[in-house]
Amino acid sequence: MNNEKTNKKSGFSLRGTNARKYAMVIVLLAIWAIFSILTNGLFTSSRNLSNLFMQMCTVGILTCGMMFIMVTGNIDISLGSVLGTLGALVAVLIIKLDVNPVLATIITLVTGILVGLWHGYWIAYRNVPAMIATLASMTAFKGITLGITAGITISGFPELYKQIGQGYLPKLFLKDANFNDTSLILIVLISIAFVIMDQRTRKSRIEYGFKVSSVGITILKEAIVCLAILAVGSIMVSYRGIPVSILILMIVAYIFNFIANKTPYGRSIYAIGGNKEAARFSGINIRRNMLVMYAVMGLLTAVAALVYTTRLNAATTSAGQAMEMDVIAACVIGGTSPAGGVGTIFGGIIGALVMASLDNGMSLLNLDIMYQYVIKGLVLLLAVAIDAQSRKKGN
Amino acid sequence: MESGNVLEMVSITKEFPGVKALQDVTLKVKKGEIHALVGENGAGKSTLMKILSGVYPYGSFSGKIILDGEEQEFKTINESIAHGIATIYQELTLVRYMDIVENVFLGHELRNSNGSINYDKEYSVTKKALIEVGLDVDPTTQIIQLGVGQQQLVEIAKALVKDARIIVLDEPTSSLTEEETNSLLNLLRRLREKGITCIYISHRLNEIFEISDSTTIMRDGRVVHTCSTADLDENTLISHMVGREMTDRFPHVDHTPGDVVLEIKNWTVYNPEIPGKKRLDNISLQARKGEILGIAGLMGAGRTELALSLLGVYGTDISGEVILEGKPIRHFSPEAAIKNGICYLSEDRKGKGLVLGMNILENTSLANLPALSNRGVINANEERRQAEQQVDKLKIKASSLEQLTGNLSGGNQQKVVVAKWLMAHPKVLILDEPTRGIDVGAKYEIYTIMNRLIDEGVAIIMISSELPEILGMSDRILVMHEGVIKGEFKYGEATQETIMHSAIGGSKQ
């Protein structure tokens, strides 16, 4: 290696190291600060933030799938309707038909995948524009939901099953403590796992002879990340513990972030969105990738449906309505470009938090629902405008 | 201004970043003549015509446009149209789902007093124009129902409706059948009788000799010769087209060709857009290990289509055989080609080669991800190591592997695409216009890389429109013309003239 090269920065994360990522976190913290002041600290109480995390969970899970779809320049506007149908399905199976909850869960997840394959088939292999194919589903699944529920609300899940959406990790040892010990252990374990993986990556890079940041900087970086994990975690630990639904979201987000950054599949998705022709000429099977992508979206919709339905402990005919709009907004606010090619899971989750924070904060302020809608709409518009502007500069 | 000239373009110079596209070009066109404009690809013909039609606005070039004795400053396309200049591009620009009337008046609709479109009047005007160009279809026919030749006539009708005095035709016959070509040429003769001037860009010498009154020959952004067509013969014209000095820009090394790696037999492919029209006709060729096979030809000769058909992304009703290392290939797709070791570097670097929003690292590994992965996970360190190797080997100048390819110079962008294909370990590397749009230094480096690959035992097929490059680098040269191989030469046997002769489908000498 020549001298010029050894000076190269050794940043490995591909789409992660942009200023935008930090900007979004700052925006989120600013929103929290403003609401906290306006509500005299009520907004940032452990209890409220825990609730906020649970409220954003469904949208957060869906955002992970939608980010991929939007990166390829496509869309899925049937999410809300499909979520409603899948929620109704699991409710009918368990509550009305007394099906074993495990079996009911599996049936729901498989149905979700089938719905996704259905979308993928029409979009990837029949060249139906994604907007239209999923618009058709948006309408059709509203009807199917009505059919399954016979137009009435189905409620009353078994106590244990409800825990998916409502429950917290149970206390393990210190049943009487005023914090949740299981969650604390989990958070510490996550921090340790992060440090171990980071060290392993560093070692492997050294073996390959790449330049790595100095020991001091590495430790500093690891310390900051661990502190951040502990800070966010402590909010939940000091209330009732980590909600089960948040654990699900964290697992989903981790897996999808991994897919996006470390797998050929993830790379292909970005390439398809960045330049479809170049991707095709590089031997990437665009149709198959898109089919898989929509199938995965279907699976995630089923997971989100389980969380959503059990949190409300009911399947209603209007469940999930317009939820796709929140999901798309979360993606875009989080830096996913509607034009394709650009987007991160991290950003999407922050975007979902921003949307949920606006909802939650404005509700705490008792702001008229009318203003809530208008403000959320304007935030979305602003986010897209900023994206378009930064793109123009890039060119 | 000389009397009798309807148009004079004087001392036109146009620069693109790093390239002088036109240098002190002067074009004089007499009123009512058909003026042929000829030259190799990249000679500057299209650029000159884009200046005339206002695509490149006044101020973006130097020099003067004098129309009927008056200097003009076209800032928009509409201004040049208003002055009676109509350009008919190779790629037709009609709206496919509108009818003929709507297309003819698009953007210049005739209106009633209340502001609505006066379709009836438009209809009658269009009908007259269609009769004039000899197109016997109802003006309410949708464009999509018309053939390419008919669409061309609609374009000309559109020009006539706008009272065009000068019609520029850019390669008008490239996608026409012989019959359609003849009727187009007849139409141009009729228009000439009416005093309409025509600037005719074509690669087909027989058409030029058949129809034009004067000819201007361009080369490398300059006008090299203007005269009456009657004073020209085929050989003089060709020597003017190619007459540049061969300098030592090519590091040619004598190679010893080895075994045949890729063999194509009786390969016939039909044009998917024009049913029944053959795009490639009975092509047979062999590419050998350790040999650069140059494929020469003019634009539209079918060279790129040949490569694309091997990737399974072009053509219908394909017949013939492709044999790789003795085994016939049955499945054609970009994926299969890469697996088989056939790699294609596209002529369209930004459109088909690079993902500009991705960095060097990601672009370099894009065609090779399966091999870089263990159990579905990319080995990031291995990816980086191999990418760094390529960057070093090809001397790609960039601040880091994380630099976006969109921010690189053309030469470095091209090297990144080359790196991508080298990483995929090709047996046959098809390079389509490998040095298009890059500077001389980078060109030389690409040639050096080609020689090194030959030493490593790769078979290279180089498609190029630059004759010096073909002559300087190829061990063997095939010349294509309209989907047919018209000639084969060994290194040192061919001259620019003989190749050009085959490329324009010239008569056998």
Side-chain angles (χ1 to χ4, degrees):
Chain A
M1 277 206 284
N2 54 29
N3 287 333
E4 194 191 341
K5 278 272 286 307
T6 39
N7 291 332
K8 280 177 187 172
K9 62 173 181 179
S10 57
F12 249 68
S13 68
L14 295 167
R15 267 156 280 273
T17 51
N18 44 20
R20 185 160 191 165
K21 197 160 150 180
Y22 302 108
M24 281 179 319
V25 175
I26 290 167
V27 167
L28 178 67
L29 292 178
I31 290 173
W32 285 11
I34 292 168
F35 278 131
S36 187
I37 293 166
L38 292 176
T39 59
N40 294 323
L42 187 61
F43 181 84
T44 36
S45 67
S46 292
R47 180 195 156 90
N48 187 57
L49 285 181
S50 279
N51 279 337
L52 189 153
F53 285 133
M54 283 174 87
Q55 283 163 7
M56 65 79 71
C57 210
T58 322
V59 170
I61 292 170
L62 292 171
T63 299
C64 292
M66 183 67 106
M67 195 281 288
F68 276 57
I69 290 181
M70 288 183 71
V71 161
T72 63
N74 286 288
I75 197 108
D76 185 343
I77 58 167
S78 71
L79 290 182
S81 286
V82 175
L83 181 134
T85 303
L86 294 172
L89 177 68
V90 73
V92 166
L93 286 175
I94 293 176
I95 298 166
K96 283 251 173 99
L97 303 177
D98 247 348
V99 175
N100 176 311
V102 175
L103 182 64
T105 306
I106 292 171
I107 292 174
T108 309
L109 295 177
V110 171
T111 310
I113 294 174
L114 291 177
V115 172
L117 285 173
W118 167 262
H119 289 155
Y121 169 75
W122 291 105
I123 294 164
Y125 288 87
R126 288 272 162 255
N127 300 322
V128 177
M131 177 71 96
I132 304 304
T134 55
L135 177 66
S137 290
M138 186 179 169
T139 311
F141 280 95
K142 265 181 202 155
I144 294 174
T145 306
L146 282 175
I148 294 176
T149 59
I152 48 166
T153 300
I154 302 167
S155 64
F157 281 102
E159 198 53 39
L160 191 62
Y161 203 72
K162 272 198 309 206
Q163 299 305 312
I164 297 176
Q166 297 180 351
Y168 296 83
L169 292 182
K171 289 183 184 176
L172 214 52
F173 304 112
L174 307 168
K175 304 275 185 209
D176 303 321
N178 60 352
F179 65 94
N180 185 298
D181 57 346
T182 321
S183 304
L184 185 63
I185 293 168
L186 189 67
I187 287 163
V188 172
L189 284 179
I190 292 172
S191 302
I192 293 172
F194 170 76
V195 173
I196 291 175
M197 284 203 290
D198 195 55
Q199 286 293 338
R200 226 190 249 169
T201 316
R202 188 168 182 274
K203 214 171 122 193
S204 153
R205 264 182 236 175
I206 292 172
E207 277 168 19
Y208 269 87
F210 298 144
K211 202 171 178 298
V212 290
S213 38
S214 68
V215 179
I217 289 180
T218 309
I219 291 173
L220 185 68
K221 187 187 96 188
E222 285 167 1
I224 290 173
V225 174
C226 288
L227 274 177
I229 294 173
L230 290 172
V232 177
S234 66
I235 296 169
M236 290 178 279
V237 170
S238 61
Y239 183 51
R240 290 171 62 183
I242 295 178
V244 176
S245 55
I246 287 295
L247 189 64
I248 295 175
L249 172 62
M250 288 194 307
I251 294 169
V252 167
Y254 177 79
I255 293 173
F256 277 73
N257 187 51
F258 184 85
I259 293 174
N261 290 317
K262 310 263 173 157
T263 66
Y265 175 76
R267 196 68 68 76
S268 305
I269 293 293
Y270 284 100
I272 291 169
N275 184 344
K276 206 171 176 175
E277 283 296 295
R280 188 162 74 122
F281 276 85
S282 297
I284 289 168
N285 188 328
I286 292 170
R287 291 189 159 155
R288 197 171 55 209
N289 278 311
M290 298 250 294
L291 184 72
V292 170
M293 181 177 79
Y294 274 98
V296 168
M297 184 75 248
L299 176 65
L300 280 186
T301 313
V303 172
L306 294 177
V307 170
Y308 185 79
T309 314
T310 52
R311 182 162 71 86
L312 299 182
N313 190 22
T316 64
T317 52
S318 64
Q321 243 175 35
M323 192 178 277
E324 59 275 353
M325 292 308 152
D326 277 355
V327 174
I328 294 167
C331 285
V332 172
I333 289 170
T336 304
S337 166
V342 182
T344 58
I345 292 292
F346 180 83
I349 297 293
I350 298 290
L353 272 173
V354 167
M355 292 301 281
S357 302
L358 289 175
D359 268 340
N360 179 296
M362 291 191 291
S363 299
L364 285 185
L365 289 172
N366 279 325
L367 208 60
D368 194 316
I369 191 80
M370 173 186 108
Y371 295 113
Q372 296 196 22
Y373 278 124
V374 173
I375 289 173
K376 275 168 71 180
L378 290 176
V379 167
L380 176 62
L381 185 68
L382 202 66
V384 181
I386 291 170
D387 175 76
Q389 197 63 34
S390 66
R391 233 154 230 291
K392 216 170 158 189
K393 267 185 210 151
N395 293 334
Chain B
M1 177 132 184
E2 291 164 36
S3 63
N5 282 358
V6 63
L7 169 74
E8 288 188 7
M9 297 178 80
V10 185
S11 300
I12 305 279
T13 297
K14 165 83 183 165
E15 282 183 50
F16 292 111
V19 202
K20 268 202 172 161
L22 294 175
Q23 248 176 311
D24 198 23
V25 167
T26 296
L27 176 72
K28 293 178 180 175
V29 182
K30 293 195 193 76
K31 187 171 165 49
E33 72 167 350
I34 296 178
H35 194 111
L37 193 56
V38 292
E40 284 183 285
N41 305 334
K45 299 164 296 188
S46 297
T47 311
L48 187 64
M49 289 304 109
K50 280 181 182 164
I51 284 173
L52 177 61
S53 61
V55 173
Y56 299 132
Y58 180 80
S60 70
F61 57 91
S62 66
K64 282 192 278 189
I65 301 177
I66 302 166
L67 202 61
D68 273 339
E70 270 175 56
E71 192 179 335
Q72 302 293 345
E73 299 177 359
F74 299 140
K75 288 185 197 69
T76 64
I77 300 173
N78 275 338
E79 282 179 38
S80 87
I81 291 174
H83 281 86
I85 294 166
T87 309
I88 294 164
Y89 295 98
Q90 214 170 337
E91 306 288 325
L92 299 174
T93 52
L94 298 169
V95 184
R96 289 152 63 88
Y97 292 100
M98 285 187 173
D99 68 22
I100 298 177
V101 176
E102 287 163 333
N103 265 288
V104 164
F105 283 95
L106 192 62
H108 308 268
E109 286 80 4
L110 301 179
R111 289 169 190 270
N112 292 316
S113 50
N114 64 4
S116 63
I117 294 173
N118 187 343
Y119 189 87
D120 291 347
K121 191 167 175 205
E122 288 187 353
Y123 179 92
S124 68
V125 175
T126 306
K127 181 132 198 168
K128 251 184 248 161
L130 290 184
I131 292 169
E132 222 172 319
V133 299
L135 181 60
D136 185 23
V137 297
D138 188 85
T140 60
T141 313
Q142 279 203 342
I143 296 301
I144 193 151
Q145 293 169 356
L146 301 177
V148 187
Q150 292 175 313
Q151 290 186 28
Q152 206 135 36
L153 294 177
V154 171
E155 291 265 22
I156 295 174
K158 190 174 165 180
L160 294 179
V161 166
K162 285 180 196 154
D163 285 326
R165 292 178 295 162
I166 301 176
I167 300 181
V168 180
L169 294 130
D170 192 352
E171 297 273 353
T173 56
S174 58
S175 45
L176 299 190
T177 62
E178 202 165 322
E179 204 177 317
E180 286 172 326
T181 303
N182 284 333
S183 68
L184 179 73
L185 295 184
N186 282 330
L187 170 62
L188 294 183
R189 288 193 190 97
R190 289 205 303 277
L191 293 178
R192 174 166 60 188
E193 280 161 26
K194 294 176 127 187
I196 292 174
T197 312
C198 184
I199 298 176
Y200 192 86
I201 300 178
S202 180
H203 284 317
R204 296 189 178 175
L205 291 205
N206 53 352
E207 284 169 19
I208 288 162
F209 285 110
E210 198 181 323
I211 195 167
S212 72
D213 304 297
S214 322
T215 301
T216 293
I217 303 163
M218 291 184 72
R219 187 209 314 150
D220 297 338
R222 298 167 194 270
V223 167
V224 289
H225 194 67
T226 301
C227 66
S228 156
T229 309
D231 298 338
L232 268 180
D233 60 53
E234 237 179 58
N235 288 335
T236 349
L237 195 148
I238 290 171
S239 68
H240 280 302
M241 273 171 82
V242 299
R244 72 168 89 63
E245 291 298 306
M246 287 279 287
T247 47
D248 188 27
R249 288 187 284 136
F250 305 99
H252 180 85
V253 182
D254 275 327
H255 303 123
T256 32
D259 301 338
V260 173
V261 184
L262 180 77
E263 183 168 16
I264 300 172
K265 280 186 187 166
N266 308 324
W267 194 246
T268 298
V269 174
Y270 282 82
N271 188 329
E273 274 149 37
I274 309 171
K277 190 167 161 83
K278 276 185 193 168
R279 193 69 189 85
L280 298 168
D281 193 358
N282 207 22
I283 300 275
S284 295
L285 63 84
Q286 293 181 331
R288 289 168 190 278
K289 208 172 179 164
E291 174 194 63
I292 298 176
L293 174 65
I295 303 186
L298 294 165
M299 214 184 276
R303 297 165 300 164
T304 297
E305 287 79 359
L306 173 61
L308 295 184
S309 68
L310 296 180
L311 300 185
V313 296
Y314 177 86
T316 51
D317 296 326
I318 298 176
S319 61
E321 258 187 299
V322 179
I323 299 159
L324 182 75
E325 293 180 323
K327 287 182 205 126
I329 296 180
R330 299 222 160 71
H331 186 62
F332 295 94
S333 72
E335 218 178 342
I338 293 168
K339 259 185 215 144
N340 287 330
I342 301 176
C343 293
Y344 168 71
L345 178 131
S346 169
E347 57 176 339
D348 184 2
R349 180 164 62 237
K350 291 186 178 175
K352 299 190 175 77
L354 288 172
V355 183
L356 294 174
M358 279 184 158
N359 60 34
I360 296 174
L361 178 72
E362 293 163 313
N363 270 291
T364 310
S365 62
L366 196 58
N368 208 23
L369 290 174
L372 286 170
S373 306
N374 294 329
R375 276 172 271 133
V377 181
I378 299 171
N379 182 340
N381 288 326
E382 189 57 30
E383 180 188 22
R384 172 164 295 257
R385 193 180 63 83
Q386 292 197 16
E388 272 185 355
Q389 263 178 9
Q390 296 296 345
V391 166
D392 278 349
K393 238 163 102 178
L394 303 186
K395 300 193 182 73
I396 296 172
K397 289 179 199 76
S399 56
S400 76
L401 287 180
E402 276 73 28
Q403 188 167 354
L404 290 185
T405 49
N407 300 335
L408 295 172
S409 70
N412 278 311
Q413 284 183 344
Q414 188 71 342
K415 284 188 198 168
V416 171
V417 191
V418 172
K420 170 168 83 176
W421 294 121
L422 294 192
M423 216 193 228
H425 303 294
K427 291 175 190 153
V428 181
L429 182 59
I430 306 173
L431 302 171
D432 196 349
E433 305 288 359
T435 63
R436 174 179 285 175
I438 65 181
D439 63 75
V440 180
K443 278 186 183 185
Y444 192 88
E445 287 179 77
I446 298 267
Y447 299 140
T448 315
I449 294 164
M450 285 166 62
N451 279 332
R452 209 176 54 219
L453 288 173
I454 290 297
D455 293 340
E456 289 168 14
V458 177
I460 292 182
I461 299 177
M462 178 180 71
I463 298 170
S464 174
S465 297
E466 283 188 45
L467 281 184
E469 175 173 287
I470 285 277
L471 289 168
M473 289 307 297
S474 316
D475 298 299
R476 201 152 52 87
I477 301 163
L478 296 177
V479 188
M480 284 181 69
H481 171 73
E482 311 218 321
V484 180
I485 292 180
K486 279 277 185 179
E488 176 166 356
F489 305 90
K490 285 207 182 78
Y491 177 75
E493 258 182 26
T495 62
Q496 303 199 40
E497 285 78 10
T498 51
I499 288 181
M500 188 55 77
H501 198 88
S502 305
I504 55 178
S507 47
K508 291 258 177 340
Q509 283 175 318

